[in-house]
Amino acid sequence: QVELVESGGGLVQPGGSLRLSCAASGFTLDYYAIGWFRQAPGKEREGVSCISSSDGSTYYADFVKGRFIISRDNAKNTVYLQMNSLKPEDTAVYYCAADAAGTCISYDYWGQGTQVTVSS
């Protein structure tokens, strides 16, 4: 059974940090690009970051550049999103997704999401 499971969300104060994990089961993440997305209440889902499968190239939305870092640990079949200097506007449900083509364009599998709340 193919599955992506996010974890690591929670409540954090502005300026704080969280590390989200995206663990895969039923397939090997090595061959997939993995993207992180988020959706805040009343807003559309937006792309946050992606890491390709080929050369590990990383991509970030402008609103997280310099604050978030995406990485992968193929031995653990897991991709991480390190989120630093968090702001209240980062509050959202965060999802990871896997792209079999490896290009960060079209995603085949999605996780169920993890809630991130940034508030004092």
Side-chain angles (χ1 to χ4, degrees):
Q1 180 180 357
V2 172
E3 192 175 22
L4 287 171
V5 178
E6 303 95 336
S7 62
L11 173 64
V12 63
Q13 292 187 342
S17 297
L18 283 174
R19 188 178 78 159
L20 304 184
S21 299
C22 172
S25 60
F27 68 105
T28 302
L29 278 183
D30 303 31
Y31 307 112
Y32 290 75
I34 303 299
W36 283 97
F37 296 79
R38 70 186 188 186
Q39 187 166 21
K43 295 188 176 182
E44 293 188 355
R45 186 177 65 199
E46 58 186 358
V48 174
S49 181
C50 185
I51 184 165
S52 72
S53 60
S54 55
D55 59 1
S57 295
T58 57
Y59 306 93
Y60 298 94
D62 286 344
F63 52 80
V64 303
K65 278 182 182 176
R67 300 190 297 126
F68 291 11
I69 301 171
I70 190 170
S71 62
R72 63 196 308 154
D73 185 338
N74 290 337
K76 294 184 178 180
N77 218 26
T78 300
V79 169
Y80 303 98
L81 185 69
Q82 177 67 43
M83 305 188 298
N84 302 317
S85 302
L86 283 162
K87 306 174 182 179
E89 52 264 43
D90 293 319
T91 296
V93 177
Y94 283 71
Y95 302 88
C96 65
D99 168 13
T103 56
C104 296
I105 294 176
S106 178
Y107 295 87
D108 303 281
Y109 307 118
W110 291 82
Q112 84 291 346
T114 185
Q115 176 70 48
V116 172
T117 302
V118 185
S119 175
S120 55

Short mmCIF file of all heavy atoms in Angstrom, two decimals, residues 27-34 52-54 72 74 77 98-103:
data_model
loop_
_atom_site.label_atom_id
_atom_site.label_comp_id
_atom_site.label_asym_id
_atom_site.label_seq_id
_atom_site.Cartn_x
_atom_site.Cartn_y
_atom_site.Cartn_z
N PHE A 27 6.62 2.43 -1.33
CA PHE A 27 7.44 2.81 -2.48
C PHE A 27 8.69 3.50 -1.99
O PHE A 27 8.78 3.90 -0.83
CB PHE A 27 6.66 3.69 -3.46
CG PHE A 27 6.33 5.07 -2.94
CD1 PHE A 27 7.03 6.18 -3.37
CD2 PHE A 27 5.31 5.26 -2.03
CE1 PHE A 27 6.71 7.45 -2.92
CE2 PHE A 27 4.98 6.52 -1.55
CZ PHE A 27 5.69 7.62 -2.00
N THR A 28 9.66 3.65 -2.88
CA THR A 28 10.95 4.24 -2.52
C THR A 28 10.99 5.69 -2.97
O THR A 28 10.83 6.00 -4.15
CB THR A 28 12.09 3.45 -3.19
OG1 THR A 28 12.01 2.09 -2.78
CG2 THR A 28 13.44 4.03 -2.77
N LEU A 29 11.24 6.57 -2.00
CA LEU A 29 11.22 7.99 -2.30
C LEU A 29 12.36 8.44 -3.21
O LEU A 29 12.25 9.49 -3.85
CB LEU A 29 11.30 8.80 -1.00
CG LEU A 29 10.00 9.02 -0.22
CD1 LEU A 29 10.27 9.90 0.98
CD2 LEU A 29 8.93 9.62 -1.10
N ASP A 30 13.44 7.65 -3.27
CA ASP A 30 14.62 8.03 -4.05
C ASP A 30 14.26 8.49 -5.46
O ASP A 30 14.88 9.39 -6.01
CB ASP A 30 15.57 6.84 -4.23
CG ASP A 30 16.03 6.24 -2.92
OD1 ASP A 30 15.25 6.29 -1.95
OD2 ASP A 30 17.14 5.72 -2.88
N TYR A 31 13.26 7.83 -6.06
CA TYR A 31 12.97 8.07 -7.46
C TYR A 31 11.88 9.11 -7.69
O TYR A 31 11.44 9.33 -8.81
CB TYR A 31 12.55 6.75 -8.11
CG TYR A 31 13.57 5.65 -7.88
CD1 TYR A 31 13.27 4.55 -7.08
CD2 TYR A 31 14.84 5.73 -8.43
CE1 TYR A 31 14.21 3.56 -6.84
CE2 TYR A 31 15.78 4.75 -8.20
CZ TYR A 31 15.46 3.66 -7.41
OH TYR A 31 16.38 2.68 -7.17
N TYR A 32 11.46 9.75 -6.61
CA TYR A 32 10.37 10.72 -6.70
C TYR A 32 10.84 12.11 -6.29
O TYR A 32 11.65 12.25 -5.37
CB TYR A 32 9.22 10.32 -5.77
CG TYR A 32 8.46 9.10 -6.19
CD1 TYR A 32 9.00 7.83 -6.05
CD2 TYR A 32 7.19 9.22 -6.75
CE1 TYR A 32 8.30 6.71 -6.44
CE2 TYR A 32 6.48 8.10 -7.14
CZ TYR A 32 7.05 6.84 -6.99
OH TYR A 32 6.35 5.74 -7.38
N ALA A 33 10.32 13.11 -6.98
CA ALA A 33 10.43 14.46 -6.45
C ALA A 33 9.39 14.58 -5.35
O ALA A 33 8.28 14.04 -5.46
CB ALA A 33 10.16 15.49 -7.53
N ILE A 34 9.74 15.28 -4.28
CA ILE A 34 8.82 15.46 -3.17
C ILE A 34 8.56 16.95 -2.96
O ILE A 34 9.50 17.74 -2.84
CB ILE A 34 9.39 14.86 -1.87
CG1 ILE A 34 9.71 13.37 -2.06
CG2 ILE A 34 8.39 15.05 -0.72
CD1 ILE A 34 8.51 12.52 -2.41
N SER A 52 13.98 17.67 -6.08
CA SER A 52 13.90 16.77 -7.22
C SER A 52 14.53 15.42 -6.88
O SER A 52 15.24 15.28 -5.89
CB SER A 52 14.59 17.39 -8.43
OG SER A 52 15.99 17.38 -8.25
N SER A 53 14.27 14.44 -7.74
CA SER A 53 14.81 13.10 -7.51
C SER A 53 16.16 12.90 -8.18
O SER A 53 16.94 12.07 -7.75
CB SER A 53 13.84 12.04 -8.04
OG SER A 53 13.64 12.21 -9.43
N SER A 54 16.43 13.67 -9.23
CA SER A 54 17.63 13.43 -10.02
C SER A 54 18.90 13.92 -9.33
O SER A 54 19.74 13.13 -8.92
CB SER A 54 17.48 14.09 -11.39
OG SER A 54 17.19 15.46 -11.23
N ARG A 72 16.31 15.48 2.08
CA ARG A 72 15.81 14.10 2.02
C ARG A 72 16.84 13.16 2.61
O ARG A 72 18.04 13.39 2.49
CB ARG A 72 15.44 13.70 0.59
CG ARG A 72 16.58 13.68 -0.41
CD ARG A 72 16.07 13.66 -1.86
NE ARG A 72 15.11 12.59 -2.07
CZ ARG A 72 14.17 12.63 -3.03
NH1 ARG A 72 14.08 13.66 -3.82
NH2 ARG A 72 13.32 11.63 -3.17
N ASN A 74 17.32 9.37 2.05
CA ASN A 74 16.84 8.21 1.31
C ASN A 74 16.94 6.93 2.13
O ASN A 74 16.13 6.02 1.96
CB ASN A 74 17.61 8.07 0.00
CG ASN A 74 17.26 9.16 -0.99
OD1 ASN A 74 16.18 9.76 -0.92
ND2 ASN A 74 18.16 9.43 -1.92
N ASN A 77 13.89 6.84 3.88
CA ASN A 77 12.71 7.00 3.03
C ASN A 77 11.84 8.17 3.50
O ASN A 77 10.60 8.08 3.52
CB ASN A 77 11.89 5.71 2.99
CG ASN A 77 11.31 5.44 1.61
OD1 ASN A 77 11.85 5.87 0.59
ND2 ASN A 77 10.20 4.73 1.58
N ALA A 98 4.28 13.27 -3.72
CA ALA A 98 5.34 12.60 -4.46
C ALA A 98 5.05 12.65 -5.96
O ALA A 98 3.92 12.34 -6.39
CB ALA A 98 5.48 11.16 -4.00
N ASP A 99 6.07 13.02 -6.72
CA ASP A 99 5.97 13.15 -8.18
C ASP A 99 6.86 12.08 -8.82
O ASP A 99 8.08 12.18 -8.74
CB ASP A 99 6.41 14.56 -8.57
CG ASP A 99 6.62 14.74 -10.06
OD1 ASP A 99 6.20 13.86 -10.84
OD2 ASP A 99 7.20 15.77 -10.45
N ALA A 100 6.22 11.10 -9.47
CA ALA A 100 6.97 9.99 -10.05
C ALA A 100 7.90 10.44 -11.19
O ALA A 100 8.92 9.79 -11.45
CB ALA A 100 6.01 8.92 -10.55
N ALA A 101 7.55 11.52 -11.85
CA ALA A 101 8.40 12.00 -12.95
C ALA A 101 9.65 12.70 -12.42
O ALA A 101 10.58 12.94 -13.18
CB ALA A 101 7.61 12.95 -13.84
N GLY A 102 9.64 13.01 -11.14
CA GLY A 102 10.83 13.59 -10.53
C GLY A 102 11.07 15.05 -10.81
O GLY A 102 12.16 15.56 -10.55
N THR A 103 10.06 15.75 -11.31
CA THR A 103 10.28 17.10 -11.82
C THR A 103 9.61 18.20 -11.01
O THR A 103 9.69 19.36 -11.39
CB THR A 103 9.79 17.19 -13.27
OG1 THR A 103 8.40 16.80 -13.31
CG2 THR A 103 10.59 16.27 -14.17
#
